[in-house]
Amino acid sequence: MATLEDQVPQRPSISSTGNLTNYSFPQARLRRCMKDSSKTPLLLVACGSFSPITYLHLRMFEMAADFAKYNSDFEVVGGYLSPVSDAYRKAGLASAEHRIAMTRIATEQSSTWLDVDPWEAIQKEYQPTALVLDHFEHEINVAQRGIATEGGERKHVRIVLLAGADLIQTMSTPGVWSQDDLDHILGKYGVFIVERAGTDIDDALATLTPWRHNIWVIQQLIQNDVSSTKIRLFLKREMSVRYLVPAPVIKYIEDHGLYEDDGASSSIHEKGREVPAEAAAGSSTSG
């Protein structure tokens, strides 16, 4: 039986971080043609620190793909991780160069359909989630005019944010997100939310009723509460993180001496900057 990984071009080898001058949108793993033109093409985007990336970050995409396949009229045509920029200034945040490298290594070794877009990470200023989604909307539906169908037509791709349940909690907390951002993210794009132990999603959703039709909740059939914060703590204590983080990522961390003292590997050029309200509340995914 055909899977999501079928007919997806192979990605190029890992390259350096780069900058906005030589930036180009990564397309090597983006599906070129739909399998079922009666469905709505879906692109999943996960924004977050990914410091470091864990197997749960990758697993979220697989859960979302299964959910879309069996519980919706969507057809997943691609998935992207978008690491936050150094301007985020979160404790334990490795530099954008390292986080781009780690996410690329993880997707290269663990997936044939996920990719990493460095656009957000290489920005000098913090980019709100709404603007990051606008970036994907432009690259996919304006620059590429959507996706082809078997009949040769072009179809608009639905861009959807993929995040953990903690995001919905922050969105339902008064004063954390602006009404305009909530309407932009949840109204225009929508979000796939992966449940997390200890998070009361029903209470959070109660305050987001205007956008409930654009919020899809994915149940974790096998509970996993791994987080980048816990991984950094393990590394600081010289405890094993094997089978929690992809092995090539662990090697990269060891080779570059990351997270030996949580916070010491954070970017230093943004010291003293005020963290935007959205950033202070937490990124769109754990880590």
Side-chain angles (χ1 to χ4, degrees), residues 244-280:
L244 299 175
V245 175
V249 174
I250 296 175
K251 185 177 187 304
Y252 183 94
I253 291 171
E254 293 173 345
D255 289 346
H256 293 83
L258 302 180
Y259 312 117
E260 293 177 352
D261 180 11
D262 197 9
S265 55
S266 300
S267 171
I268 61 173
H269 358 301
E270 298 294 335
K271 296 291 185 182
R273 295 183 66 102
E274 181 180 354
V275 180
E278 180 189 340

Side-chain angles (χ1 to χ4, degrees), residues 182-231:
L182 285 177
D183 192 54
H184 195 81
I185 296 170
L186 299 179
K188 181 177 181 179
Y189 297 110
V191 60
F192 273 31
I193 293 292
V194 177
E195 283 186 331
R196 196 167 199 168
T199 302
D200 193 334
I201 291 184
D202 290 337
D203 280 354
L205 292 177
T207 63
L208 300 173
T209 51
W211 308 283
R212 186 63 184 87
H213 64 289
N214 266 354
I215 302 173
W216 294 268
V217 178
I218 304 171
Q219 181 182 5
Q220 279 203 69
L221 299 180
I222 299 177
Q223 291 297 316
N224 184 340
D225 68 347
V226 174
S227 71
S228 297
T229 301
K230 294 176 181 178
I231 295 300

Side-chain angles (χ1 to χ4, degrees), residues 113-151:
W113 66 281
L114 297 180
D115 213 333
V116 179
D117 182 11
W119 180 85
E120 179 184 1
I122 62 179
Q123 301 289 326
K124 293 182 179 179
E125 302 293 333
Y126 172 78
Q127 300 297 308
T129 301
L131 293 185
V132 176
L133 295 176
D134 285 346
H135 158 72
F136 280 95
E137 174 72 20
H138 173 81
E139 293 291 348
I140 299 297
N141 290 314
V142 177
Q144 299 188 42
R145 298 184 299 111
I147 187 173
T149 65
E150 290 184 340

Side-chain angles (χ1 to χ4, degrees), residues 23-251:
Y23 167 81
S24 62
F25 183 72
Q27 305 177 36
R29 290 188 162 188
L30 187 64
R31 185 176 294 170
R32 306 298 183 185
C33 183
M34 294 190 67
K35 295 178 180 179
D36 185 349
S37 58
S38 68
K39 294 191 174 183
T40 300
L42 175 70
L43 185 84
L44 297 166
V45 177
C47 302
S49 302
F50 306 114
S51 188
I53 187 170
T54 72
Y55 273 126
L56 180 55
H57 290 131
L58 300 170
R59 180 65 190 153
M60 286 172 63
F61 281 93
E62 297 296 332
M63 287 187 279
D66 281 344
F67 180 88
K69 179 178 180 180
Y70 295 110
N71 300 279
S72 76
D73 290 325
F74 289 124
E75 179 180 315
V76 178
V77 297
Y80 286 89
L81 293 94
S82 179
V84 74
S85 77
D86 288 337
Y88 188 52
R89 287 183 56 249
K90 181 180 181 180
L93 188 69
S95 71
E97 180 179 3
H98 288 315
R99 290 180 291 110
I100 292 171
M102 288 188 286
T103 50
R104 282 178 168 170
I105 290 170
T107 54
E108 174 73 27
Q109 298 291 328
S110 305
S111 175
T112 59
W113 66 281
L114 297 180
D115 213 333
V116 179
D117 182 11
W119 180 85
E120 179 184 1
I122 62 179
Q123 301 289 326
K124 293 182 179 179
E125 302 293 333
Y126 172 78
Q127 300 297 308
T129 301
L131 293 185
V132 176
L133 295 176
D134 285 346
H135 158 72
F136 280 95
E137 174 72 20
H138 173 81
E139 293 291 348
I140 299 297
N141 290 314
V142 177
Q144 299 188 42
R145 298 184 299 111
I147 187 173
T149 65
E150 290 184 340
E153 300 175 346
R154 306 295 298 184
K155 201 164 185 178
H156 185 276
V157 177
R158 180 71 180 270
I159 311 295
V160 171
L161 181 66
L162 173 63
D166 50 341
L167 176 73
I168 283 295
Q169 282 193 320
T170 67
M171 285 183 164
S172 63
T173 303
V176 176
W177 295 74
S178 72
Q179 193 73 11
D180 287 344
D181 275 354
L182 285 177
D183 192 54
H184 195 81
I185 296 170
L186 299 179
K188 181 177 181 179
Y189 297 110
V191 60
F192 273 31
I193 293 292
V194 177
E195 283 186 331
R196 196 167 199 168
T199 302
D200 193 334
I201 291 184
D202 290 337
D203 280 354
L205 292 177
T207 63
L208 300 173
T209 51
W211 308 283
R212 186 63 184 87
H213 64 289
N214 266 354
I215 302 173
W216 294 268
V217 178
I218 304 171
Q219 181 182 5
Q220 279 203 69
L221 299 180
I222 299 177
Q223 291 297 316
N224 184 340
D225 68 347
V226 174
S227 71
S228 297
T229 301
K230 294 176 181 178
I231 295 300
R232 293 195 301 270
L233 181 61
F234 274 37
L235 291 170
K236 184 178 180 180
R237 295 178 176 177
E238 299 184 354
M239 297 171 65
S240 172
V241 294
R242 193 171 299 279
Y243 311 123
L244 299 175
V245 175
V249 174
I250 296 175
K251 185 177 187 304

